[in-house]
C-alpha cells in the first residue's frame, strides 16, 4: 500500500481546524451535559412521582436511541423549529449535551446513592438542612466515586462527536471524509483521524487518572 | 424537657412503636435497654425526627416537634446524636468534622469554630488528632470525635444509640468515660446500650422496651435487682 504524505500535508490546516472543533464540541457536551446530568439526576431522585417519571422518560429515550438518530432529529427537526433555520454546530452540541446529560444523570444518581445513609443522617442530626448536607457531606464524597465513570463518559463523548460530521459540522471526521472523497483515498484520512482521536482520548484518560490519584491520597 | 405521649411509629404495615409514653427531665440520664428489634433505635430516632412520627406527640422544651410548623433543623440543633457506626465524615479531618455544623448552622467564624473544636478535642482527649482523617483513628477515638462533633452544636440533650456496640472491648471504657463525664456536667442524656454497668453507675432511670412498648421503668438498682415484669426478668437473666 502506498501512503501519500503530500495530500496529508495539504490537509494539515483542515485537520487542525477539525480537531479544534472536535475538542470544542466535546468540551461543550461535557460541560452542558454535566450540568444537565446533575439537574436530571437530582430530578429523578425527587419524591414527586410525576416529575421523577418525566426525568426517567428523558433518560430512557436518550440512552435507548442511537445518537445518529438523535442528531438527525435535532438538526432537521428541533433546531429549525426553534430558530427557523438549522445549524450543524448548534444541533451537534445540543444532541451531544442531551445524550451526555442522560448518562451523567445516572452516574450522579449512582454516586450519590452509593454514599452510606448514615452520612446524611449524621449531617441532618447536627441541624444542617438537606441542601447544606448535600453540598458539604454527600456530594464531595460522591464526586470522588463519580470520576471513573464520568471519565468514561467523556471519552465516549469525544468519540461520538464524530457523528456530527453527518450534518456537515466541520469537525475532524468531516475533513477526514472530505479528503477521502476528494482524492479517493482511504488509509490516509481515516488513519490520521483515528490517530488524532486516540491522542485526544488517551490524554483525557491520563488527566483523569492523575486527578483520581490526587483525590485518593487526600 | 422531653415529653413523649402515645408515640407510634410504623414502617409500612409493621408497627414498631405501639404506644410509648415517657418524660425525660433536665439533667437526667435515661438508659434504654431491651432485646434486638424491640424499637429502641426507632424510639431514639423519633426524638430528633430522623424517623417521621406516625402518631402521638413528642414535645422538646415546650416545642411540639410533630407540629408541621416546627423548624426541624432548629430542633436538631438542640438534640445531639451519637451513632453506633460513628458516621464521621471521611473526607474531612477530625477538626473539620467538628467545625462544619457550627459554621454552617450557628454561623460561627472559622476561628471561633476552631477554638471551640480544640476545647472539645481536649475534653475527649484527642487534641493531637485534630488534623488526622477519621480512617486513621481507632474505633474508640472515632466515637469520641463523634461525641465532640455533636457537642459542638451545644445541644441541650444528647442521644446515644449503642455508642460502644461497634467497638473492640478494650475501647469501650474510654468512650464510656467521656459519657460519664458528660453526665456529671449535667447533660440530659438518653442512652441505648447493653452496658449494664454503665446503666447502673450513671443512669438515673432505666426504660426496658419490648415489642414496641416500654414494659417497665425504674431506677437502675431497683429494675436490675427487683424487676416486676416477667419479660424484664427473662431479658435480664440473659444479659446480666
Ligand atoms: N427503615 C426501616 N424500614 C423498615 N423497618 C424498619 C426500619 N428501621 C427499623 N425497622 C424495623 O423496626 C423494628 C425495630 O427496629 P429498631 O432498630 O428500632 O430495633 P432496636 O431495638 O434498636 O434493635 P437492635 O438492638 O437490634 O438495634 C425492627 O423489626 C426493624 O426491622
Ligand atoms: Mg438499634
Amino acid at each position: 500500500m502506498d501512503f501519500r504524505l503530500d495530500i496529508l500535508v495539504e490537509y494539515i490546516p483542515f485537520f487542525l481546524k477539525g480537531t479544534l472543533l472536535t475538542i470544542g464540541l466535546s468540551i461543550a457536551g461535557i460541560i452542558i451535559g454535566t450540568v444537565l446530568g446533575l439537574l436530571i439526576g437530582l430530578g429523578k431522585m425527587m419524591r414527586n412521582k410525576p416529575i421523577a417519571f418525566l426525568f426517567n422518560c428523558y433518560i430512557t429515550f436518550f440512552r435507548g436511541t442511537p445518537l445518529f438518530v438523535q442528531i438527525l432529529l435535532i438538526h432537521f427537526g428541533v433546531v429549525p423549529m426553534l430558530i427557523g433555520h438549522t445549524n450543524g454546530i448548534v444541533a451537534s452540541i445540543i444532541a451531544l449535551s442531551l445524550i451526555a446529560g442522560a448518562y451523567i444523570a445516572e452516574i450522579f444518581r449512582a454516586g450519590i446513592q452509593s454514599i452510606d445513609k448514615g452520612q446524611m443522617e449524621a449531617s441532618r442530626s447536627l441541624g444542617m438542612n438537606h441542601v447544606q448536607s448535600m453540598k458539604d457531606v454527600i456530594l464531595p464524597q460522591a464526586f470522588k466515586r463519580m470520576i471513573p465513570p464520568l471519565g468514561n463518559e467523556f471519552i465516549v463523548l469525544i468519540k461520538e462527536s464524530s457523528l456530527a460530521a453527518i450534518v456537515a459540522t466541520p469537525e475532524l471526521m468531516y475533513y477526514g471524509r472530505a479528503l477521502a472523497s476528494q482524492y479517493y483515498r482511504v488509509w490516509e484520512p481515516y488513519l490520521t483521524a483515528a490517530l488524532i482521536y486516540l491522542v485526544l482520548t488517551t490524554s483525557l484518560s491520563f488527566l483523569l487518572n492523575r486527578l483520581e490519584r490526587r483525590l485518593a491520597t487526600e | 424537657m422531653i415529653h413523649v405521649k402515645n408515640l407510634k411509629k410504623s414502617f409500612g404495615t409493621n408497627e414498631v412503636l405501639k404506644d410509648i409514653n415517657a418524660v425525660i427531665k433536665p439533667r437526667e440520664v435515661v438508659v434504654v435497654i431491651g432485646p434486638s428489634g424491640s424499637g429502641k433505635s426507632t424510639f431514639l430516632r423519633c426524638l430528633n425526627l430522623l424517623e417521621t412520627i406516625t402518631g402521638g406527640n413528642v414535645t422538646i422544651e415546650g416545642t411540639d416537634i410533630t407540629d408541621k410548623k416546627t423548624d426541624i433543623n432548629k430542633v436538631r440543633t438542640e438534640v445531639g446524636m451519637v451513632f453506633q457506626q460513628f458516621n464521621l465524615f471521611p473526607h474531612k479531618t477530625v477538626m473539620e468534622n467538628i467545625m462544619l455544623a457550627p459554621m454552617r448552622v450557628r454561623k460561627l467564624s472559622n476561628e471561633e469554630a476552631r477554638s471551640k473544636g480544640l476545647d472539645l478535642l481536649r475534653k475527649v482527649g484527642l487534641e493531637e488528632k485534630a488534623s488526622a482523617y477519621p480512617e486513621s483513628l481507632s474505633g474508640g477515638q472515632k466515637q469520641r470525635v463523634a461525641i465532640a462533633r455533636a457537642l459542638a452544636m451545644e445541644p441541650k440533650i444528647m442521644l446515644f444509640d449503642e455508642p460502644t456496640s461497634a467497638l473492640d472491648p478494650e475501647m469501650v471504657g474510654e468512650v464510656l468515660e467521656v459519657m460519664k463525664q458528660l453526665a456529671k456536667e449535667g447533660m440530659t442524656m438518653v442512652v441505648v446500650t447493653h452496658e449494664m454497668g454503665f446503666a447502673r453507675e450513671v443512669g438515673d432511670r432505666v426504660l426496658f422496651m419490648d415489642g414496641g412498648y416500654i414494659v417497665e421503668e425504674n431506677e437502675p438498682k431497683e429494675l436490675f435487682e427487683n424487676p416486676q415484669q416477667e419479660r424484664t426478668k427473662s431479658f435480664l437473666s440473659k444479659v446480666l
Side-chain angles (χ1 to χ4, degrees):
Chain A
M1 119 193 170
D2 63 329
F3 201 86
R4 284 187 55 191
L5 272 181
D6 59 315
I7 59 171
L8 274 185
V9 170
E10 180 196 335
Y11 257 76
I12 283 176
F14 297 116
F15 275 125
L16 275 179
K17 267 203 312 199
T19 305
L20 282 183
L21 187 57
T22 289
I23 294 174
L25 290 177
S26 307
I27 291 178
I30 286 169
I31 291 174
I32 304 173
T34 303
V35 174
L36 269 182
L38 179 59
L39 297 177
I40 296 163
L42 292 175
K44 198 189 153 178
M45 281 187 288
M46 289 214 307
R47 291 212 199 111
N48 185 323
K49 284 275 148 54
I51 294 182
F53 176 77
L54 278 181
F55 284 115
N56 234 331
C57 290
Y58 172 90
I59 293 172
T60 307
F61 178 80
F62 280 95
R63 294 209 311 171
T65 56
L67 180 60
F68 193 36
V69 178
Q70 293 166 19
I71 287 185
L72 292 176
L73 274 174
I74 291 169
H75 183 68
F76 294 111
V78 176
V79 173
M81 214 167 71
L82 291 179
I83 62 174
H85 56 95
T86 197
N87 177 311
I89 296 183
V90 172
S92 305
I93 289 178
I94 293 178
L96 287 170
S97 302
L98 291 179
I99 196 170
Y103 278 97
I104 292 172
E106 286 295 274
I107 294 173
F108 272 119
R109 188 191 54 77
I112 288 169
Q113 289 182 348
S114 76
I115 303 301
D116 181 72
K117 76 180 191 352
Q119 291 289 308
M120 182 55 109
E121 290 185 346
S123 176
R124 297 304 303 272
S125 78
L126 290 164
M128 303 223 293
N129 64 33
H130 186 82
V131 174
Q132 290 170 328
S133 305
M134 270 294 181
K135 182 176 145 287
D136 289 316
V137 177
I138 306 298
L139 288 179
Q141 296 183 59
F143 181 64
K144 268 190 211 175
R145 299 193 191 174
M146 290 177 210
I147 291 174
L150 272 181
N152 273 338
E153 176 56 26
F154 295 166
I155 286 168
V156 168
L157 212 60
I158 291 179
K159 294 189 291 178
E160 295 217 306
S161 71
S162 60
L163 279 172
I166 55 170
V167 293
T169 307
E171 44 71 79
L172 182 50
M173 264 323 275
Y174 174 86
Y175 287 115
R177 297 205 321 166
L179 175 57
S181 53
Q182 184 181 346
Y183 290 101
Y184 299 105
R185 305 291 299 181
V186 174
W187 298 103
E188 291 85 350
Y190 295 138
L191 275 181
T192 307
L195 190 70
I196 295 175
Y197 279 114
L198 210 52
V199 168
L200 293 180
T201 52
T202 47
S203 321
L204 180 60
S205 62
F206 174 76
L207 286 177
L208 287 163
N209 271 333
R210 281 193 41 171
L211 177 65
E212 204 181 328
R213 242 176 300 143
R214 266 244 325 265
L215 287 174
T217 53
E218 239 175 36
Chain B
M1 188 148 221
I2 306 182
H3 288 260
V4 181
K5 243 185 96 189
N6 307 118
L7 171 63
K8 292 188 176 62
K9 169 65 189 176
S10 309
F11 293 104
T13 56
N14 179 16
E15 189 167 60
V16 173
L17 298 181
K18 297 195 171 115
D19 185 21
I20 301 282
N21 292 281
V23 176
I24 291 151
K25 298 193 279 286
R27 307 176 71 86
E28 203 179 17
V29 177
V30 173
V31 174
V32 182
I33 61 172
S36 181
S38 57
K40 307 180 296 292
S41 298
T42 308
F43 171 50
L44 214 60
R45 293 160 58 83
C46 283
L47 297 183
N48 70 353
L49 292 179
L50 280 183
E51 302 291 353
T52 48
I53 292 170
T54 33
N57 292 90
V58 175
T59 310
I60 295 180
E61 298 244 287
T63 309
D64 182 355
I65 66 170
T66 43
D67 188 336
K68 282 200 177 58
K69 290 194 282 286
T70 302
D71 179 358
I72 128 175
N73 296 315
K74 185 97 195 344
V75 172
R76 286 178 178 145
T77 61
E78 309 292 337
V79 185
M81 178 134 186
V82 174
F83 301 84
Q84 181 175 351
Q85 297 301 338
F86 328 124
N87 295 343
L88 293 180
F89 307 136
H91 60 302
K92 293 188 176 295
T93 64
V94 164
M95 184 55 98
E96 289 164 351
N97 263 273
I98 298 174
M99 290 167 62
L100 179 63
M103 287 174 63
R104 291 290 183 272
V105 182
R106 298 259 194 242
K107 308 292 177 201
L108 294 194
S109 71
N110 195 296
E111 295 75 48
E112 289 168 323
R114 188 172 296 278
S115 99
K116 163 172 286 185
L118 262 181
D119 287 345
L120 286 165
L121 282 178
R122 219 168 279 136
K123 182 181 178 126
V124 300
L126 288 171
E127 64 265 46
E128 80 280 8
K129 296 289 185 189
S131 51
Y133 280 90
E135 63 173 4
S136 69
L137 303 181
S138 72
Q141 292 172 331
K142 281 183 196 164
Q143 196 59 298
R144 286 187 278 153
V145 172
I147 294 173
R149 179 177 69 177
L151 290 175
M153 289 302 289
E154 301 183 353
K156 300 202 174 75
I157 301 159
M158 285 283 283
L159 310 175
F160 294 84
D161 190 359
E162 303 201 25
T164 57
S165 297
L167 299 180
D168 293 335
E170 72 269 21
M171 291 171 187
V172 170
E174 65 193 56
V175 172
L176 292 181
E177 209 43 57
V178 171
M179 292 168 64
K180 279 179 204 165
Q181 184 59 35
L182 215 56
K184 221 180 280 167
E185 291 166 11
M187 176 62 80
T188 308
M189 295 163 58
V190 185
V191 185
V192 175
T193 186
H194 298 298
E195 295 293 329
M196 297 304 161
F198 175 84
R200 208 185 277 263
E201 187 183 338
V202 185
D204 296 306
R205 213 147 37 96
V206 177
L207 311 183
F208 171 68
M209 284 185 69
D210 193 14
Y213 294 100
I214 295 177
V215 174
E216 186 167 354
E217 61 170 285
N218 215 330
E219 290 169 12
K221 193 164 161 13
E222 268 303 297
L223 190 114
F224 290 140
E225 283 163 20
N226 195 12
Q228 300 298 308
Q229 305 288 332
E230 271 315 310
R231 281 194 277 175
T232 319
K233 279 181 204 164
S234 92
F235 174 74
L236 288 175
S237 70
K238 279 177 224 141
V239 297
L240 285 181

